[in-house]
Amino acid sequence: MEVNIEPILPKVSKPTRYLGNEVNSIHKDSHQVDVKVALAFPDVYEVGMSHLGLRILYHILNNRSDCLAERVYAPWFDMEEEMRKEGIPLFSLESKTPITEFDIVGFSLQYELTYTNVLNMLDLAKIPLHAQNRDRDFPLIIAGGISAYNPEPLADFIDAFCIGEGEEIILELVDKYKEYKEEPKDKLLCELSQIQGVYVPSLYSVEYNRDGTIRSFYPRSSNVPGKIKKRVVSNLDDSFYPLKQIVPFMEIVHDRACLEIQRGCSKGCRFCQAGMLYRPIRERSFSLLKGYGKEIINSTGYEELSLLSLNVINYSSITELIAYFSEEFKKRGIGISLPSLRVDEKVFDLVRYVAMIKKTGLTLAIEAGTDRLRRMINKNIDEYEILESISSTCKIGWNLIKLYFMIGLPTEEKEDLDGIVDLILKMDKKGKSLKISVSPWVPKPFTPFQWEPQLGLGKLIERQDYLKRRLYNFKFSWQDPRLSFLEAVFSRGDRRLGCVLLNAYRLGCKFDGWTDYLDLKKWQHAFLISGIKPEFYANRKRESSEILPWDHIDTFVDKEFLIDEWNKAYQGIETPDCKDVCVGCGVCNKTAHQRVQDSDLMVQYQEPSTKHLSPIIHHPLPITQKIRVRFTKEEEVKYISHLDLIRTFYRALMRAKIPVAVTKGFSPHLKISFSPPLRVGITSKEEFADLELIKPMNPDLLKTALNHELPKGITVLEVKLLTKTDLPLTKITENSLYKGYIEIDLGEDLLKKRLDEFLGKKEAWIERKREGMIKEINIREFVKDIQINKTPRRFELSLLLLVTPYGTVRPDEVVVAIFPEGKILGMERIAQFSSSKEEQKTED
């Protein structure tokens, strides 16, 4: 059953979040498959769509003929309100199917402060929250992701957790579900527990000591494994990687093509959970990445390729890889972006090549303010190396650098905070524009610091305020310490937090990871009525002998290794890169994985000289052809904004390899101009875009190529070569003709009287609200004519509106101003033309 969301989309912000018809999205017939999976991300669309793991699973599952996967994200507040008001259950994007009609719902857990959203999504879907209250009439609820490595806070609500790398386990889980889908739920769960990496909480018991620590944790049956071993992809070259990634209409958090070049990190930072959990380090081969990068760009049309890794500098042939892509993409103006970089001697080489096309974002992860504290956390870089890296970027004219620090690390003193300030002041002398980001440290499971207490909330706020005062002259951003405190509680929490979570949700908590929506008072009340003290989890130092809530999860990193690293931290002893020497963590022995060394993976690649990699902006190619494209914007895309439309056109042109000219400057973009924006929700029979080409192209071929790449709902009607006699785009769009329908309980005579009164005025003022500001607009000066005709069930409106350099009016604003009690049933732009053309029509 498909739910109808059309009536509520005009009432919500960013309706694009809920469309599900993006380029490269997959739509399958649910009647032709055996297993239906809803991939759920407990945050808004633009956050969830940025997550690579979900993209991988989406394509793996849909590549199977007997399975389909569709996406579902947490609806924003306004959408949820409308859904509950209209009784619309949570639905999948692709087919708008209620989540209850899927076999499996899989949540991706990337952040502990999304847990209330998990409960809210289940409730919106009309699925019982507690696992014990769900029988086979409801979907199997599973979860995975980095936060699932401590699954206990959600143990009451999730049927099964997938521990490890999803692409290694998901197909086996689907096969097992398919085999036992007709069996009772208890039988299914027992069978799932036999899969390595699957943890079924209901099959385990936990007992506590009087002091609140865990006395024992054990399986309820001898058939259930005592330890859950994570799943690991042994060879990335043999694993699946999505090359035809979904291209959102709207801008998302990481709005670029993604290419994962390696997994894991060999540096061993003692605070870093991902660095420990994603061991062993595995690299994709240089030859494979070259082809992947080109194919991803060709299939998506993105103007930027992001090379993903926990430590991109650690990839054996990173300089050669970036040099290759810089040369490959420079003529198309496609940039290369990198995640936050560890300060290293390679930094200058990397940013030099990245800057050859466009200067994308550059973030350096410094972490701590003094050499002593950096040694403590095993961030083996000194102040001299940091300053040299900053100095190197100056040589290539990088204008903005973001620096990332943490506060509240174990043993941190005031001198370390002053070290952050002193280091930034020294960097500032290098002539850079610096953006400073500071986050409180959070103790995480499976790290050497998992036993350490988080600094108290009051002290974290004091230290953050101190840095704010000292760095008031800089662009300074920070994470709210209240978020970090709650994150620490649930990071190191046990099953008893399930009660707190449920109470917090019932009190109205959701989107807790968004500072503006975190309500700490409600959380404090939830802890109080649950009889739980959050400080027990966040601010208590734990003994190495204590049973931890996650000890039944085996990540293959020996606990003895973590304890040894913990002791080394207090001695200021650095642990070397495990690419250089085995540090004895135990992972490679348990996964039969050979330790990666740079010498094994370095490619024999001739590095291009910089003279062959001159930036595209230094050699602008002459314009050889100017083109005008006339196209439609139909029902399927009427809820995408004007900026979304521009973005969609850009990427379609890139996929079609249309030789569009590129602007000069810091961040080059395609030379295109569009006709005036349409209001979201309005269709159009005639929109325009002017392109400048660097190579001549047959208009018919361009039309065919562009129509092949544009999404359904945007159709190119005509491609015209422009000459000197053609009017500019601003001239041919001076008038917009709209046709719409209105439902209103008034007689035709009264309607026409109202209309005549409006047209007889010289002024008609309305208030327009935008970004919290109110502006008064005289809409009458933009209305040239309005006609109204009665049809059997409604009235048809025709509006001719003026578009000027200083503004225009939306057709819905005019209709509401004249007929406030009416209901607009639809609106479409019929035509656009110049004033001279209109005058000619009038004379004729």
Side-chain angles (χ1 to χ4, degrees):
M1 178 189 74
E2 179 180 343
V3 300
N4 180 21
I5 62 170
E6 171 68 25
I8 65 175
L9 287 181
K11 303 175 184 179
V12 304
S13 61
K14 300 184 180 180
T16 317
R17 289 169 170 157
Y18 313 105
L19 298 183
N21 58 343
E22 312 96 317
V23 170
N24 295 336
S25 59
I26 299 171
H27 300 256
K28 299 175 77 170
D29 184 352
S30 62
H31 298 98
Q32 302 299 316
V33 300
D34 298 318
V35 181
K36 295 176 287 184
V37 181
L39 295 173
F41 198 95
D43 211 324
V44 287
Y45 174 92
E46 51 267 43
V47 176
M49 271 301 295
S50 300
H51 182 240
L52 176 61
L54 218 60
R55 300 187 196 187
I56 293 174
L57 296 180
Y58 179 82
H59 288 279
I60 285 178
L61 290 168
N62 279 313
N63 280 348
R64 283 182 56 147
S65 59
D66 63 344
C67 183
L68 70 75
E70 297 187 353
R71 298 161 294 148
V72 56
Y73 303 97
W76 194 240
F77 292 91
D78 54 358
M79 184 65 170
E80 181 189 341
E81 181 182 353
E82 294 299 327
M83 288 170 63
R84 290 191 184 278
K85 187 188 301 181
E86 300 298 327
I88 296 174
L90 189 67
F91 55 88
S92 65
L93 291 194
E94 281 79 359
S95 65
K96 306 299 182 291
T97 299
I99 298 306
T100 48
E101 296 186 18
F102 285 81
D103 298 300
I104 301 172
V105 177
F107 282 95
S108 178
L109 305 177
Q110 303 301 317
Y111 184 31
E112 291 80 1
L113 297 193
T114 61
Y115 290 174
T116 50
N117 282 6
V118 172
L119 300 191
N120 192 44
M121 291 173 74
L122 290 175
D123 185 55
L124 267 174
K126 297 179 169 45
I127 296 174
L129 301 186
H130 286 93
Q132 65 182 14
N133 295 333
R134 297 192 294 265
D135 56 23
R136 292 311 309 275
D137 291 334
F138 295 98
L140 180 75
I141 308 299
I142 65 174
I146 193 167
S147 295
Y149 277 92
N150 177 18
E152 293 309 291
L154 281 173
D156 292 343
F157 312 105
I158 304 296
D159 293 315
F161 289 89
C162 296
I163 308 300
E165 295 169 348
E167 64 264 56
E168 181 70 10
I169 193 173
I170 189 64
L171 295 183
E172 194 173 340
L173 187 145
V174 167
D175 285 338
K176 188 70 72 173
Y177 179 89
K178 185 178 175 181
E179 183 180 354
Y180 289 92
K181 66 183 296 185
E182 303 302 328
E183 299 288 339
K185 184 178 179 180
D186 289 348
K187 174 70 172 174
L188 171 65
L189 291 177
C190 286
E191 291 298 327
L192 290 177
S193 73
Q194 302 306 304
I195 301 174
Q196 181 184 330
V198 174
Y199 168 54
V200 180
S202 61
L203 302 182
Y204 295 79
S205 293
V206 59
E207 296 176 351
Y208 300 93
N209 296 311
R210 295 188 68 178
D211 64 359
T213 59
I214 295 174
R215 180 190 305 147
S216 62
F217 187 99
Y218 54 90
R220 295 179 177 178
S221 166
S222 59
N223 297 328
V224 179
K227 282 269 190 179
I228 313 300
K229 296 181 179 180
K230 76 171 182 178
R231 295 293 288 270
V232 179
V233 174
S234 59
N235 188 325
L236 287 188
D237 277 5
D238 295 335
S239 68
F240 173 84
Y241 194 79
L243 304 181
K244 203 171 182 182
Q245 299 169 9
I246 295 175
V247 185
F249 291 120
M250 69 181 298
E251 184 176 9
I252 60 176
V253 174
H254 300 298
D255 200 22
R256 56 189 73 95
C258 298
L259 178 59
E260 183 191 36
I261 63 174
Q262 71 177 2
R263 196 171 294 179
C265 179
S266 59
K267 292 297 185 180
C269 296
R270 292 174 179 132
F271 61 85
C272 182
Q273 185 185 39
M276 296 294 168
L277 291 179
Y278 292 127
R279 295 185 176 206
I281 187 168
R282 291 143 290 161
E283 297 191 354
R284 280 196 169 88
S285 63
F286 179 77
S287 58
L288 199 63
L289 290 173
K290 289 195 298 181
Y292 279 7
K294 290 189 288 185
E295 192 165 345
I296 291 169
I297 288 296
N298 290 338
S299 68
T300 62
Y302 274 112
E303 54 281 348
E304 194 173 306
L305 177 67
S306 178
L307 304 183
L308 298 184
S309 168
L310 289 175
N311 182 15
V312 69
I313 289 179
N314 213 209
Y315 181 73
S316 301
S317 302
I318 186 60
T319 304
E320 292 79 10
L321 185 65
I322 291 179
Y324 172 80
F325 283 135
S326 296
E327 179 68 19
E328 179 70 26
F329 294 143
K330 68 176 185 180
K331 291 182 180 179
R332 297 170 66 184
I334 297 167
I336 310 297
S337 70
L338 306 173
S340 62
L341 298 177
R342 181 187 177 96
V343 175
D344 189 282
E345 64 273 6
K346 293 182 183 178
V347 166
F348 174 66
D349 284 337
L350 298 192
V351 297
R352 177 168 58 103
Y353 287 122
V354 168
M356 292 300 170
I357 302 173
K358 61 172 74 171
K359 294 182 177 69
T360 53
L362 178 62
T363 301
L364 299 179
I366 312 297
E367 317 293 5
T370 61
D371 290 346
R372 180 203 68 81
L373 192 52
R374 285 190 290 272
R375 281 194 302 272
M376 203 267 183
I377 64 176
N378 207 43
K379 194 82 173 181
N380 303 329
I381 51 174
D382 59 30
E383 184 176 297
Y384 174 79
E385 292 175 288
I386 295 170
L387 294 176
E388 280 298 299
S389 295
I390 296 294
S391 180
S392 296
T393 61
C394 291
K395 298 175 183 177
I396 54 173
W398 213 287
N399 292 338
L400 177 63
I401 299 175
K402 184 177 180 179
L403 303 171
Y404 178 76
F405 294 91
M406 286 189 290
I407 58 172
L409 285 161
T411 77
E412 182 185 75
E413 301 291 346
K414 183 175 179 296
E415 291 76 11
D416 301 298
L417 297 179
D418 290 335
I420 293 175
V421 175
D422 293 342
L423 191 58
I424 289 170
L425 293 176
K426 290 174 183 177
M427 293 179 191
D428 190 44
K429 292 179 181 178
K430 301 289 183 181
K432 305 288 14 173
S433 177
L434 302 176
K435 186 176 181 180
I436 318 302
S437 178
V438 173
S439 296
W441 167 73
V442 176
K444 291 286 186 175
F446 302 107
T447 68
F449 290 161
Q450 66 180 350
W451 296 279
E452 286 284 339
Q454 187 184 50
L455 199 64
L457 182 57
K459 290 184 178 179
L460 283 175
I461 294 173
E462 283 179 14
R463 295 188 184 190
Q464 194 174 80
D465 289 343
Y466 176 75
L467 288 178
K468 287 180 191 177
R469 291 194 301 271
R470 293 290 309 275
L471 297 170
Y472 69 93
N473 280 332
F474 293 88
K475 295 177 181 177
F476 186 89
S477 62
W478 61 90
Q479 175 162 307
D480 190 331
R482 300 174 304 158
L483 297 179
S484 301
F485 172 67
L486 270 183
E487 183 183 350
V489 171
F490 282 93
S491 291
R492 301 204 299 172
D494 54 39
R495 291 191 179 191
R496 291 170 295 188
L497 289 180
C499 177
V500 179
L501 187 61
L502 183 61
N503 283 326
Y505 167 66
R506 286 172 173 168
L507 289 169
C509 293
K510 55 192 169 188
F511 286 102
D512 303 295
W514 296 64
T515 302
D516 291 345
Y517 300 101
L518 173 65
D519 192 331
L520 193 60
K521 289 183 179 179
K522 288 181 180 178
W523 273 102
Q524 289 169 337
H525 186 53
F527 281 110
L528 181 65
I529 61 178
S530 304
I532 299 289
K533 293 184 177 180
E535 295 81 9
F536 176 81
Y537 298 100
N539 306 130
R540 179 176 63 89
K541 185 173 183 177
R542 306 188 184 193
E543 298 299 326
S544 60
S545 58
E546 180 180 330
I547 297 176
L548 301 174
W550 51 89
D551 274 351
H552 56 290
I553 305 296
D554 187 358
T555 68
F556 304 143
V557 176
D558 291 335
K559 199 169 188 179
E560 292 74 18
F561 169 76
L562 297 179
I563 293 172
D564 187 48
E565 284 294 297
W566 189 24
N567 292 330
K568 282 183 178 179
Y570 278 90
Q571 298 169 42
I573 299 174
E574 297 176 351
T575 298
D577 188 322
C578 74
K579 273 191 175 184
D580 301 327
V581 57
C582 180
V583 298
C585 73
V587 169
C588 292
N589 294 334
K590 296 177 184 177
T591 58
H593 180 81
Q594 287 192 327
R595 185 166 57 86
V596 175
Q597 293 177 292
D598 283 340
S599 58
D600 300 329
L601 292 161
M602 288 296 290
V603 298
Q604 298 300 313
Y605 181 75
Q606 184 66 41
E607 181 179 325
S609 63
T610 54
K611 68 180 180 180
H612 297 305
L613 283 169
S614 52
I616 187 171
I617 58 175
H618 289 175
H619 301 285
L621 296 170
I623 306 302
T624 62
Q625 202 173 55
K626 292 187 177 182
I627 295 284
R628 179 161 293 158
V629 177
R630 185 166 62 90
F631 62 94
T632 64
K633 186 182 179 188
E634 300 160 43
E635 286 289 330
E636 294 89 346
V637 292
K638 70 180 182 180
Y639 288 110
I640 72 171
S641 70
H642 187 64
L643 289 177
D644 296 338
L645 176 69
I646 293 173
R647 193 178 297 108
T648 299
F649 242 87
Y650 274 23
R651 290 168 183 169
L653 289 163
M654 295 289 276
R655 290 192 298 273
K657 297 183 179 178
I658 307 297
V660 183
V662 179
T663 63
K664 299 180 182 181
F666 183 79
S667 184
H669 58 271
L670 302 182
K671 284 192 172 182
I672 314 176
S673 55
F674 288 82
S675 48
L678 270 177
R679 176 163 174 78
V680 170
I682 295 178
T683 58
S684 175
K685 288 186 175 179
E686 186 174 72
E687 297 297 297
F688 295 98
D690 282 4
L691 321 177
E692 297 183 14
L693 306 185
I694 56 174
K695 291 180 182 179
M697 192 169 181
N698 180 283
D700 291 335
L701 291 178
L702 192 153
K703 175 184 174 182
T704 301
L706 203 46
N707 274 331
H708 184 265
E709 297 298 341
L710 284 167
K712 188 177 181 181
I714 302 177
T715 304
V716 175
L717 303 174
E718 179 187 29
V719 174
K720 175 186 177 183
L721 292 176
L722 293 179
T723 66
K724 292 182 179 178
T725 59
D726 285 297
L727 293 173
L729 193 57
T730 52
K731 277 289 185 182
I732 69 161
T733 58
E734 289 175 328
N735 295 271
S736 286
L737 179 63
Y738 292 90
K739 181 179 286 186
Y741 295 92
I742 182 173
E743 187 177 78
I744 189 169
D745 190 20
L746 288 177
E748 186 174 3
D749 292 342
L750 186 55
L751 283 174
K752 289 187 175 181
K753 181 181 178 183
R754 281 236 205 127
L755 191 58
D756 291 340
E757 287 175 355
F758 176 83
L759 292 174
K761 297 177 181 178
K762 290 186 178 180
E763 294 183 352
W765 294 87
I766 66 166
E767 289 185 348
R768 181 181 290 169
K769 297 178 181 178
R770 182 174 295 173
E771 297 178 356
M773 303 290 290
I774 297 177
K775 183 179 180 182
E776 290 192 338
I777 305 291
N778 178 16
I779 62 173
R780 180 62 188 88
E781 64 178 317
F782 300 109
V783 179
K784 301 187 81 171
D785 189 30
I786 305 178
Q787 301 290 332
I788 189 165
N789 296 299
K790 184 175 176 51
T791 64
R793 299 174 64 181
R794 55 192 177 179
F795 289 92
E796 182 183 82
L797 290 170
S798 177
L799 299 90
L800 181 59
L801 305 181
L802 181 65
V803 180
T804 72
Y806 55 87
T808 185
V809 67
R810 302 193 310 260
D812 57 297
E813 290 177 321
V814 177
V815 175
V816 170
I818 304 173
F819 308 113
E821 64 270 72
K823 180 181 179 182
I824 300 174
L825 300 179
M827 189 67 66
E828 183 171 41
R829 182 145 69 187
I830 301 299
Q832 299 182 76
F833 44 85
S834 66
S835 293
S836 57
K837 186 175 180 181
E838 187 213 1
E839 290 165 5
Q840 184 179 354
K841 283 182 179 180
T842 304
E843 291 172 3
D844 293 341

